Amino acid sequence: MARNKILDSFAAAIADIPDGATVAFGGFAGPGTPYNLTKALLEQGAKRLTCIANTTGGAHQPRMPDIGMLVENGQVAKVVCSFTAATRPTDVLPFTPYYERGEVEAELVPQGTLAERLRAAGAGIPAFYTPTAVGTELAEGRETRVINGREYLLEYALPCDYAFIRAWRADAAGNLQFRLAQRNFCPLMAMAAKTVVVEVEEDILPAGAIDPDQVHVSGIFVQRLVKIPPAPEGLWTVRRQERAR
């Protein structure tokens, strides 16, 4: 009998995450960001986490649950991300002062390299060479190789214990469909993780109800699904223009 992947609560979906786990968080700014699962992890309290994401969040108000909150709560040992500081001088990431004081380790990874390291983990590729970051501080003390006259930097795959992602639609088998920019890092993180937990915006459909041509992540990668309840119980993305009102 097929295993039921649908859970009743975010708390139940992440209850078994242990101390020391590596967790990937999907999203690029708002789209695809798993706010509800992040909030549940804050409440669950796992410690010494390694968090993988594009950024740690927290620059905009009203603030939504983010990796920065996990850092503030003393739950994070290391962050692997593309931004350790905000992209605008008027914004400040809550994570930044913790990193600058040496309280949390950070591994800065260019966005394209981050995506490829995740993809490599999902594809069973242990490492690869890239010209990105060659000649910069990120390459200091690391292995490089000249191929066809060009220098390349060795990068290792980035597997995860868990991935938290947000999808527009899902069926009971775990097949996922994203909407527009919501896709971003989410499919790659789903491939790289041992356990994928998804918060779903629309009602979860019967298995096979999504046209196969519209499936962005196959259900074979997905273990747990939770339907996002209406606000205020569920957390929903707020557009930038609505935040400014």
Side-chain angles (χ1 to χ4, degrees):
M1 181 178 295
R3 182 166 62 89
N4 180 27
K5 298 183 178 182
I6 304 172
L7 285 82
D8 294 330
S9 70
F10 300 110
I14 60 91
D16 64 342
I17 295 182
D19 293 349
T22 297
V23 185
F25 297 76
F28 190 103
T33 301
Y35 297 118
N36 297 277
L37 291 168
T38 305
K39 179 184 177 184
L41 187 57
L42 271 164
E43 296 168 348
Q44 189 253 28
K47 305 288 186 181
R48 302 191 306 279
L49 300 173
T50 295
C51 299
I52 301 170
N54 179 56
T55 183
T56 58
H60 304 297
Q61 300 297 328
R63 191 174 173 191
M64 300 282 273
D66 55 48
I67 293 174
M69 289 185 178
L70 294 169
V71 171
E72 292 168 334
N73 202 37
Q75 294 179 247
V76 179
K78 179 180 179 179
V79 173
V80 181
C81 63
S82 295
F83 296 95
T84 55
T87 56
R88 297 178 179 84
T90 55
D91 294 337
V92 177
L93 296 183
F95 162 78
T96 304
Y98 289 85
Y99 167 60
E100 292 177 343
R101 292 195 298 264
E103 297 178 22
V104 178
E105 183 183 353
E107 181 180 347
L108 189 63
V109 183
Q111 282 180 325
T113 302
L114 179 63
E116 184 62 10
R117 288 179 66 186
L118 291 163
R119 190 197 70 83
I125 299 170
F128 59 92
Y129 285 97
T130 175
T132 305
V134 168
T136 72
E137 292 181 8
L138 296 181
E140 291 180 359
R142 298 171 58 189
E143 180 179 340
T144 62
R145 181 174 180 179
V146 176
I147 302 174
N148 294 329
R150 188 175 185 184
E151 189 174 11
Y152 293 83
L153 178 65
L154 180 66
E155 294 282 0
Y156 290 94
L158 192 57
C160 324
D161 298 315
Y162 295 84
F164 290 176
I165 59 179
R166 183 179 181 120
W168 177 43
R169 302 172 73 202
D171 68 14
N175 297 304
L176 306 180
Q177 183 180 6
F178 301 99
R179 186 174 183 274
L180 303 176
Q182 190 182 56
R183 194 182 313 189
N184 52 74
F185 291 96
C186 293
L188 301 175
M189 290 179 172
M191 293 172 59
K194 297 176 183 177
T195 300
V196 177
V197 191
V198 187
E199 54 181 72
V200 185
E201 295 180 346
E202 298 289 320
D203 288 340
I204 297 173
L205 302 168
I210 301 176
D211 185 329
D213 282 340
Q214 301 301 317
V215 171
H216 299 139
V217 172
S218 171
I220 195 170
F221 294 111
V222 176
Q223 284 72 44
R224 302 170 190 174
L225 303 165
V226 184
K227 168 69 173 68
I228 304 172
E233 181 183 357
L235 299 176
W236 294 82
T237 302
V238 178
R239 295 181 180 180
R240 182 180 296 274
Q241 57 267 36
E242 293 173 347
R243 289 198 298 261
R245 291 176 184 171

